[in-house]
Coordinates of all heavy atoms in Angstrom, one line a residue:
H1 N -4.6 -16.8 -5.1 CA -3.4 -16.5 -5.7 C -3.6 -15.9 -7.1 O -4.7 -16.0 -7.6 CB -2.5 -17.7 -5.8 CG -2.2 -18.3 -4.4 ND1 -1.6 -17.6 -3.4 CD2 -2.5 -19.5 -3.9 CE1 -1.5 -18.3 -2.3 NE2 -2.0 -19.5 -2.6
T2 N -2.6 -15.3 -7.6 CA -2.7 -14.8 -9.0 C -1.9 -15.6 -10.0 O -1.2 -16.5 -9.6 CB -2.3 -13.3 -9.0 OG1 -0.9 -13.2 -8.6 CG2 -3.1 -12.4 -8.0
K3 N -1.8 -15.1 -11.2 CA -1.0 -15.9 -12.2 C 0.4 -15.7 -11.8 O 0.9 -14.8 -11.2 CB -1.3 -15.2 -13.6 CG -2.7 -15.4 -14.1 CD -2.9 -14.9 -15.4 CE -4.3 -15.1 -15.9 NZ -4.6 -14.5 -17.3
A4 N 1.1 -16.7 -12.3 CA 2.6 -16.7 -12.1 C 3.3 -15.5 -12.9 O 2.8 -15.1 -13.9 CB 3.2 -18.0 -12.6
I5 N 4.3 -15.0 -12.3 CA 5.1 -14.0 -13.0 C 6.3 -14.6 -13.6 O 7.0 -15.4 -13.1 CB 5.6 -13.0 -11.9 CG1 4.5 -12.4 -11.1 CG2 6.4 -11.8 -12.6 CD1 5.0 -11.6 -9.9
C6 N 6.4 -14.4 -14.9 CA 7.5 -14.9 -15.7 C 8.6 -13.9 -16.0 O 8.2 -12.7 -16.4 CB 7.0 -15.6 -17.0 SG 5.8 -16.9 -16.7
G7 N 9.8 -14.2 -16.0 CA 10.9 -13.3 -16.4 C 11.5 -12.6 -15.3 O 10.8 -12.1 -14.4
A8 N 12.8 -12.7 -15.2 CA 13.5 -12.0 -14.1 C 13.1 -10.5 -13.9 O 12.9 -10.1 -12.8 CB 15.0 -12.2 -14.2
D9 N 13.1 -9.8 -15.0 CA 12.8 -8.4 -15.0 C 11.4 -8.1 -14.4 O 11.2 -7.2 -13.6 CB 12.9 -7.8 -16.3 CG 14.5 -7.7 -16.7 OD1 15.4 -7.7 -15.8 OD2 14.7 -7.5 -18.0
N10 N 10.5 -8.9 -14.9 CA 9.1 -8.8 -14.4 C 8.9 -9.1 -12.9 O 8.3 -8.4 -12.2 CB 8.1 -9.7 -15.2 CG 8.0 -9.3 -16.6 OD1 8.1 -8.1 -16.9 ND2 7.7 -10.2 -17.5
I11 N 9.6 -10.1 -12.4 CA 9.6 -10.5 -11.0 C 10.2 -9.4 -10.2 O 9.7 -9.0 -9.2 CB 10.4 -11.9 -10.8 CG1 9.6 -13.0 -11.5 CG2 10.6 -12.1 -9.3 CD1 10.3 -14.3 -11.6
K12 N 11.4 -8.9 -10.6 CA 12.1 -7.8 -10.0 C 11.2 -6.6 -9.9 O 11.0 -6.0 -8.8 CB 13.4 -7.5 -10.7 CG 14.2 -6.4 -9.9 CD 15.5 -6.2 -10.7 CE 16.3 -5.1 -10.0 NZ 16.0 -3.8 -10.4
N13 N 10.5 -6.3 -10.9 CA 9.6 -5.1 -10.9 C 8.5 -5.2 -10.0 O 8.1 -4.3 -9.2 CB 9.1 -4.8 -12.4 CG 8.3 -3.6 -12.5 OD1 8.8 -2.5 -12.0 ND2 7.1 -3.6 -13.1
E14 N 7.8 -6.4 -10.0 CA 6.7 -6.6 -9.1 C 7.1 -6.6 -7.7 O 6.4 -6.0 -6.8 CB 6.1 -8.0 -9.4 CG 5.2 -8.1 -10.7 CD 4.0 -7.1 -10.6 OE1 3.4 -7.1 -9.6 OE2 3.7 -6.5 -11.7
I15 N 8.2 -7.2 -7.3 CA 8.8 -7.1 -5.9 C 9.1 -5.7 -5.5 O 8.7 -5.3 -4.4 CB 10.0 -8.1 -5.7 CG1 9.5 -9.5 -5.9 CG2 10.6 -7.8 -4.4 CD1 10.6 -10.5 -5.9
E16 N 9.7 -4.9 -6.4 CA 10.0 -3.5 -6.0 C 8.7 -2.8 -5.8 O 8.7 -1.9 -4.9 CB 11.0 -2.9 -7.1 CG 12.3 -3.5 -7.1 CD 13.2 -3.0 -8.2 OE1 12.6 -2.4 -9.2 OE2 14.4 -3.2 -8.2
L17 N 7.7 -3.0 -6.7 CA 6.5 -2.2 -6.5 C 5.8 -2.6 -5.2 O 5.3 -1.7 -4.5 CB 5.5 -2.4 -7.7 CG 6.0 -1.7 -9.0 CD1 5.1 -2.2 -10.1 CD2 5.9 -0.2 -8.9
Y18 N 5.8 -3.9 -4.9 CA 5.2 -4.3 -3.6 C 5.9 -3.7 -2.4 O 5.3 -3.2 -1.5 CB 5.3 -5.8 -3.6 CG 4.5 -6.5 -2.5 CD1 3.1 -6.3 -2.4 CD2 5.0 -7.2 -1.4 CE1 2.3 -6.9 -1.4 CE2 4.3 -7.7 -0.4 CZ 3.0 -7.5 -0.4 OH 2.2 -8.1 0.6
R19 N 7.2 -3.6 -2.5 CA 8.1 -3.1 -1.5 C 7.7 -1.6 -1.3 O 7.5 -1.1 -0.2 CB 9.5 -3.2 -1.8 CG 10.5 -2.4 -0.9 CD 11.8 -2.0 -1.6 NE 11.5 -1.2 -2.7 CZ 12.4 -1.0 -3.7 NH1 13.6 -1.7 -3.7 NH2 12.2 -0.2 -4.7
D20 N 7.5 -0.9 -2.5 CA 7.2 0.5 -2.4 C 5.8 0.8 -1.9 O 5.6 1.8 -1.1 CB 7.3 1.1 -3.9 CG 8.7 1.1 -4.4 OD1 9.6 0.9 -3.6 OD2 8.8 1.3 -5.6
L21 N 4.9 -0.1 -2.1 CA 3.5 0.0 -1.6 C 3.6 -0.1 0.0 O 3.0 0.6 0.6 CB 2.7 -1.0 -2.2 CG 1.2 -1.1 -1.6 CD1 0.5 0.2 -1.8 CD2 0.4 -2.3 -2.3
I22 N 4.3 -1.1 0.4 CA 4.4 -1.3 1.8 C 5.0 -0.1 2.5 O 4.6 0.4 3.6 CB 5.2 -2.6 2.2 CG1 4.4 -3.8 1.7 CG2 5.5 -2.7 3.7 CD1 5.1 -5.1 1.8
A23 N 6.1 0.4 1.9 CA 6.8 1.5 2.5 C 5.9 2.8 2.5 O 5.9 3.6 3.5 CB 8.1 1.8 1.7
F24 N 5.2 3.0 1.4 CA 4.3 4.1 1.3 C 3.2 4.1 2.4 O 3.0 5.1 3.1 CB 3.6 4.2 -0.1 CG 2.6 5.3 -0.3 CD1 3.1 6.5 -0.6 CD2 1.3 5.1 0.0 CE1 2.2 7.6 -0.8 CE2 0.4 6.2 -0.2 CZ 0.9 7.5 -0.6
V25 N 2.6 3.0 2.6 CA 1.6 2.8 3.6 C 2.1 3.0 5.0 O 1.6 3.7 5.8 CB 0.8 1.5 3.5 CG1 -0.1 1.3 4.7 CG2 0.0 1.4 2.2
H26 N 3.3 2.4 5.2 CA 4.0 2.6 6.5 C 4.3 4.0 6.8 O 4.0 4.6 7.9 CB 5.2 1.7 6.6 CG 6.1 2.0 7.8 ND1 7.0 2.9 7.9 CD2 5.9 1.5 9.1 CE1 7.6 2.9 9.0 NE2 7.0 2.2 9.8
D27 N 5.0 4.7 5.8 CA 5.5 6.0 6.0 C 4.4 7.0 6.2 O 4.4 7.9 7.1 CB 6.3 6.5 4.9 CG 7.7 5.6 4.8 OD1 8.0 4.9 5.8 OD2 8.4 5.7 3.8
Q28 N 3.3 6.9 5.5 CA 2.2 7.8 5.6 C 1.4 7.5 6.9 O 1.0 8.5 7.5 CB 1.2 7.6 4.4 CG 1.8 8.0 3.0 CD 2.3 9.4 3.1 OE1 1.7 10.4 3.5 NE2 3.6 9.6 2.7
T29 N 1.3 6.3 7.3 CA 0.7 6.1 8.6 C 1.4 6.7 9.7 O 0.9 7.4 10.6 CB 0.6 4.5 8.8 OG1 -0.2 3.9 7.8 CG2 0.0 4.2 10.2
V30 N 2.8 6.5 9.7 CA 3.6 7.2 10.8 C 3.4 8.7 10.7 O 3.3 9.4 11.8 CB 5.0 6.7 10.7 CG1 5.9 7.6 11.7 CG2 5.1 5.2 11.0
R31 N 3.5 9.3 9.5 CA 3.3 10.7 9.3 C 2.0 11.2 9.9 O 2.0 12.2 10.7 CB 3.4 11.0 7.8 CG 3.3 12.5 7.6 CD 3.3 12.7 6.1 NE 2.3 13.7 5.8 CZ 1.6 13.9 4.7 NH1 1.8 13.0 3.7 NH2 0.7 14.7 4.5
Y32 N 0.9 10.6 9.6 CA -0.4 11.1 10.0 C -0.6 10.8 11.5 O -1.2 11.6 12.2 CB -1.5 10.4 9.2 CG -1.6 10.9 7.8 CD1 -1.6 10.0 6.7 CD2 -1.7 12.3 7.6 CE1 -1.7 10.5 5.4 CE2 -1.8 12.8 6.3 CZ -1.8 11.9 5.2 OH -1.9 12.3 3.9
M33 N 0.0 9.7 12.1 CA -0.1 9.5 13.5 C 0.7 10.6 14.2 O 0.2 11.0 15.3 CB 0.5 8.1 13.9 CG -0.4 7.0 13.4 SD 0.4 5.3 13.7 CE 0.4 5.3 15.5
S34 N 1.8 11.0 13.7 CA 2.6 12.1 14.3 C 1.8 13.3 14.3 O 2.0 14.2 15.3 CB 3.9 12.3 13.6 OG 4.7 11.1 13.7
E35 N 0.9 13.6 13.3 CA 0.0 14.7 13.3 C -1.3 14.6 14.1 O -2.2 15.4 14.0 CB -0.3 15.0 11.8 CG 0.9 15.4 11.0 CD 0.6 15.5 9.5 OE1 -0.5 15.5 9.1 OE2 1.6 15.7 8.8
R36 N -1.4 13.4 14.8 CA -2.5 13.1 15.6 C -3.8 12.9 14.8 O -4.9 13.3 15.3 CB -2.7 14.1 16.7 CG -1.4 14.2 17.6 CD -1.6 15.2 18.7 NE -1.0 14.7 19.9 CZ -1.7 13.9 20.9 NH1 -2.9 13.6 20.7 NH2 -1.0 13.5 21.9
V37 N -3.7 12.4 13.6 CA -4.9 12.2 12.8 C -5.5 10.9 13.2 O -4.8 9.9 13.6 CB -4.5 12.1 11.2 CG1 -5.7 11.8 10.4 CG2 -3.9 13.4 10.8
R38 N -6.8 10.8 13.3 CA -7.5 9.6 13.7 C -7.3 8.5 12.7 O -7.1 8.7 11.5 CB -9.0 9.9 13.8 CG -9.4 10.8 15.0 CD -10.9 11.0 15.0 NE -11.5 9.9 14.4 CZ -12.7 9.5 14.5 NH1 -13.6 10.3 15.1 NH2 -13.2 8.4 13.9
I39 N -7.3 7.2 13.3 CA -7.0 6.0 12.5 C -7.9 6.0 11.2 O -7.5 5.7 10.0 CB -7.2 4.7 13.3 CG1 -6.0 4.7 14.3 CG2 -7.1 3.5 12.4 CD1 -4.7 4.6 13.8
D40 N -9.3 6.2 11.4 CA -10.2 6.1 10.3 C -9.8 7.1 9.2 O -10.0 6.9 8.0 CB -11.6 6.3 10.8 CG -12.1 5.1 11.6 OD1 -11.5 4.0 11.6 OD2 -13.0 5.3 12.4
E41 N -9.5 8.3 9.6 CA -9.1 9.3 8.7 C -7.8 9.0 8.0 O -7.6 9.4 6.8 CB -8.9 10.7 9.4 CG -10.3 11.2 9.9 CD -10.1 12.5 10.8 OE1 -9.2 13.3 10.4 OE2 -10.7 12.6 11.8
I42 N -6.8 8.4 8.6 CA -5.6 7.9 8.0 C -5.9 7.0 6.9 O -5.3 7.1 5.8 CB -4.6 7.3 9.1 CG1 -4.2 8.3 10.1 CG2 -3.4 6.7 8.4 CD1 -3.4 7.8 11.2
V43 N -6.7 6.0 7.2 CA -7.1 5.0 6.2 C -7.6 5.8 4.8 O -7.1 5.5 3.7 CB -8.1 4.0 6.6 CG1 -8.6 3.2 5.4 CG2 -7.5 3.1 7.7
V44 N -8.4 6.6 5.0 CA -9.0 7.4 3.9 C -8.0 8.2 3.2 O -7.8 8.2 1.9 CB -10.2 8.3 4.3 CG1 -10.7 9.2 3.2 CG2 -11.3 7.4 4.8
K45 N -7.1 8.9 4.0 CA -6.1 9.8 3.4 C -5.2 9.0 2.6 O -4.7 9.4 1.5 CB -5.4 10.6 4.5 CG -6.2 11.7 5.1 CD -5.3 12.4 6.2 CE -6.1 13.6 6.7 NZ -6.0 14.7 5.8
I46 N -4.7 7.8 3.1 CA -3.8 6.9 2.4 C -4.4 6.4 1.1 O -3.8 6.4 0.0 CB -3.2 5.9 3.2 CG1 -2.3 6.5 4.3 CG2 -2.4 4.8 2.4 CD1 -1.8 5.5 5.4
E47 N -5.7 5.9 1.2 CA -6.3 5.3 0.0 C -6.5 6.4 -1.1 O -6.4 6.1 -2.2 CB -7.6 4.7 0.4 CG -7.5 3.4 1.2 CD -8.8 2.7 1.6 OE1 -9.8 3.6 1.7 OE2 -8.7 1.6 1.9
E48 N -6.7 7.6 -0.7 CA -7.0 8.7 -1.7 C -5.7 9.2 -2.3 O -5.7 9.6 -3.4 CB -7.7 9.8 -1.0 CG -9.1 9.6 -0.7 CD -9.8 10.7 0.1 OE1 -9.1 11.6 0.6 OE2 -11.0 10.7 0.2
S49 N -4.6 9.0 -1.5 CA -3.3 9.5 -2.1 C -2.4 8.5 -2.7 O -1.3 8.8 -3.2 CB -2.5 10.2 -1.0 OG -2.2 9.3 0.1
L50 N -2.9 7.2 -2.7 CA -2.0 6.1 -3.2 C -1.7 6.4 -4.7 O -2.6 6.6 -5.5 CB -2.8 4.9 -3.1 CG -2.1 3.6 -3.3 CD1 -1.0 3.4 -2.2 CD2 -3.0 2.4 -3.2
P51 N -0.5 6.4 -5.1 CA -0.1 6.6 -6.5 C -0.7 5.5 -7.4 O -0.8 4.4 -7.0 CB 1.4 6.5 -6.5 CG 1.8 6.8 -5.1 CD 0.7 6.3 -4.2
D52 N -1.1 5.9 -8.6 CA -1.7 4.9 -9.5 C -0.9 3.7 -9.8 O -1.5 2.6 -9.8 CB -2.1 5.6 -10.8 CG -3.2 6.6 -10.7 OD1 -4.0 6.5 -9.7 OD2 -3.3 7.5 -11.6
I53 N 0.4 3.8 -9.8 CA 1.2 2.7 -10.2 C 1.2 1.6 -9.0 O 1.4 0.5 -9.3 CB 2.7 3.1 -10.5 CG1 3.5 1.9 -11.1 CG2 3.3 3.6 -9.2 CD1 4.8 2.3 -11.7
L54 N 0.9 2.0 -7.8 CA 0.7 1.2 -6.7 C -0.7 0.5 -6.5 O -0.9 -0.3 -5.7 CB 1.1 1.8 -5.4 CG 2.6 2.4 -5.4 CD1 2.9 3.0 -4.1 CD2 3.6 1.2 -5.7
K55 N -1.6 0.9 -7.4 CA -3.0 0.4 -7.3 C -3.3 -0.7 -8.3 O -4.3 -1.4 -8.1 CB -4.0 1.5 -7.6 CG -4.1 2.7 -6.7 CD -5.1 3.7 -7.1 CE -5.0 5.0 -6.4 NZ -5.9 6.0 -6.9
D56 N -2.5 -0.9 -9.3 CA -2.8 -1.8 -10.4 C -2.3 -3.2 -10.2 O -1.5 -3.5 -9.4 CB -2.2 -1.2 -11.7 CG -2.7 0.1 -12.1 OD1 -3.9 0.4 -11.8 OD2 -2.0 0.9 -12.7
G57 N -2.9 -4.0 -11.0 CA -2.4 -5.5 -11.1 C -2.4 -6.2 -9.9 O -3.3 -6.3 -9.1
R58 N -1.2 -6.7 -9.6 CA -1.0 -7.6 -8.5 C -1.0 -6.9 -7.1 O -1.0 -7.5 -6.1 CB 0.3 -8.4 -8.6 CG 0.4 -9.2 -9.9 CD 1.8 -9.8 -10.0 NE 1.9 -10.3 -11.3 CZ 1.5 -11.5 -11.7 NH1 0.8 -12.4 -10.9 NH2 1.6 -12.0 -13.0
K59 N -0.9 -5.6 -7.2 CA -0.9 -4.9 -6.0 C -2.3 -4.6 -5.3 O -2.4 -3.9 -4.4 CB -0.2 -3.4 -6.2 CG 1.3 -3.5 -6.1 CD 2.0 -3.8 -7.3 CE 1.7 -3.1 -8.5 NZ 1.8 -3.9 -9.8
Q60 N -3.3 -5.1 -6.0 CA -4.6 -5.0 -5.4 C -4.7 -5.6 -4.0 O -3.9 -6.4 -3.7 CB -5.7 -5.6 -6.3 CG -5.8 -5.0 -7.6 CD -6.8 -5.6 -8.6 OE1 -7.6 -6.4 -8.1 NE2 -6.6 -5.4 -9.9
Q61 N -5.6 -5.3 -3.2 CA -5.7 -5.7 -1.8 C -6.3 -7.1 -1.7 O -7.4 -7.2 -1.3 CB -6.4 -4.7 -1.0 CG -5.7 -3.3 -1.1 CD -6.5 -2.3 -0.3 OE1 -6.8 -2.4 0.8 NE2 -6.7 -1.1 -1.0
F62 N -5.5 -8.1 -1.9 CA -5.9 -9.5 -1.9 C -5.7 -10.1 -0.5 O -6.6 -10.7 0.1 CB -5.3 -10.4 -2.9 CG -5.6 -10.1 -4.2 CD1 -4.6 -9.7 -5.2 CD2 -6.9 -10.3 -4.8 CE1 -5.0 -9.5 -6.5 CE2 -7.3 -10.0 -6.1 CZ -6.3 -9.6 -7.0
Y63 N -4.5 -10.0 0.0 CA -4.1 -10.7 1.3 C -3.8 -9.7 2.4 O -3.2 -10.1 3.4 CB -2.8 -11.5 1.0 CG -3.1 -12.6 0.0 CD1 -2.5 -12.5 -1.3 CD2 -3.8 -13.7 0.4 CE1 -2.7 -13.5 -2.2 CE2 -4.0 -14.7 -0.6 CZ -3.6 -14.6 -1.9 OH -3.8 -15.6 -2.8
G64 N -4.3 -8.6 2.3 CA -4.2 -7.6 3.3 C -4.8 -6.3 2.7 O -4.8 -6.1 1.5
T65 N -5.2 -5.5 3.6 CA -5.7 -4.2 3.1 C -5.1 -3.0 3.8 O -4.3 -3.1 4.8 CB -7.2 -4.0 3.5 OG1 -7.4 -4.0 4.9 CG2 -8.1 -5.2 2.9
I66 N -5.2 -1.8 3.1 CA -4.6 -0.6 3.7 C -5.2 -0.4 5.1 O -4.4 -0.2 6.0 CB -4.8 0.6 2.8 CG1 -4.0 0.4 1.6 CG2 -4.5 1.9 3.5 CD1 -4.3 1.4 0.4
E67 N -6.5 -0.6 5.2 CA -7.1 -0.4 6.5 C -6.5 -1.3 7.5 O -6.2 -0.9 8.7 CB -8.7 -0.7 6.4 CG -9.4 -0.5 7.7 CD -10.8 -0.6 7.6 OE1 -11.4 -1.0 6.5 OE2 -11.5 -0.4 8.6
W68 N -6.3 -2.6 7.3 CA -5.7 -3.6 8.2 C -4.3 -3.2 8.6 O -3.9 -3.2 9.7 CB -5.8 -4.9 7.6 CG -5.2 -6.0 8.5 CD1 -5.9 -6.7 9.5 CD2 -3.9 -6.5 8.5 NE1 -5.0 -7.5 10.1 CE2 -3.8 -7.5 9.5 CE3 -2.7 -6.2 7.7 CZ2 -2.6 -8.1 9.7 CZ3 -1.5 -6.9 8.0 CH2 -1.5 -7.8 9.0
S69 N -3.5 -2.7 7.5 CA -2.2 -2.3 7.7 C -2.0 -1.2 8.6 O -1.1 -1.0 9.4 CB -1.5 -2.1 6.4 OG -1.4 -3.3 5.6
V70 N -2.9 -0.1 8.4 CA -2.9 1.1 9.2 C -3.2 0.8 10.6 O -2.5 1.3 11.6 CB -3.8 2.1 8.7 CG1 -4.1 3.3 9.6 CG2 -3.4 2.6 7.3
R71 N -4.2 -0.1 10.9 CA -4.6 -0.4 12.3 C -3.5 -1.3 12.9 O -3.3 -1.3 14.1 CB -5.9 -1.2 12.2 CG -7.0 -0.2 11.8 CD -8.4 -0.9 11.9 NE -9.4 -0.1 11.1 CZ -9.9 1.0 11.8 NH1 -9.6 1.3 12.9 NH2 -10.8 1.7 11.1

């Protein structure tokens, strides 16, 4: 686990970023699957295109990975 998040605004921000990360991975996976891109290539494409704001802090891949989510 990570450090506790304090403050309603901080909690809301973290949850929204986490939601955005999940949506980004899902949407890009579906997009690339529709284009018949291979799973291994999808993982790389998503990891390379992940917006910086979704890579930092608590959004690091602790309890799941992009690779696992794509598969």
Side-chain angles (χ1 to χ4, degrees):
H1 302 301
T2 62
K3 293 181 181 178
I5 304 171
C6 297
D9 289 338
N10 292 333
I11 293 168
K12 182 177 182 274
N13 185 50
E14 288 294 323
I15 291 172
E16 287 173 348
L17 286 172
Y18 190 65
R19 173 206 61 202
D20 294 346
L21 175 59
I22 292 169
F24 180 84
V25 172
H26 172 269
D27 294 348
Q28 295 305 307
T29 300
V30 171
R31 177 182 139 213
Y32 288 126
M33 288 174 70
S34 296
E35 295 174 7
R36 303 181 139 270
V37 176
R38 292 181 24 168
I39 293 293
D40 293 337
E41 294 174 40
I42 293 173
V43 172
V44 171
K45 287 178 176 286
I46 292 173
E47 288 177 341
E48 289 176 347
S49 65
L50 195 64
D52 287 339
I53 193 166
L54 299 179
K55 294 180 188 175
D56 297 331
R58 298 173 195 280
K59 276 90 45 213
Q60 294 177 20
Q61 299 178 50
F62 292 119
Y63 297 107
T65 63
I66 291 172
E67 181 176 5
W68 181 86
S69 298
V70 168
R71 292 182 189 282

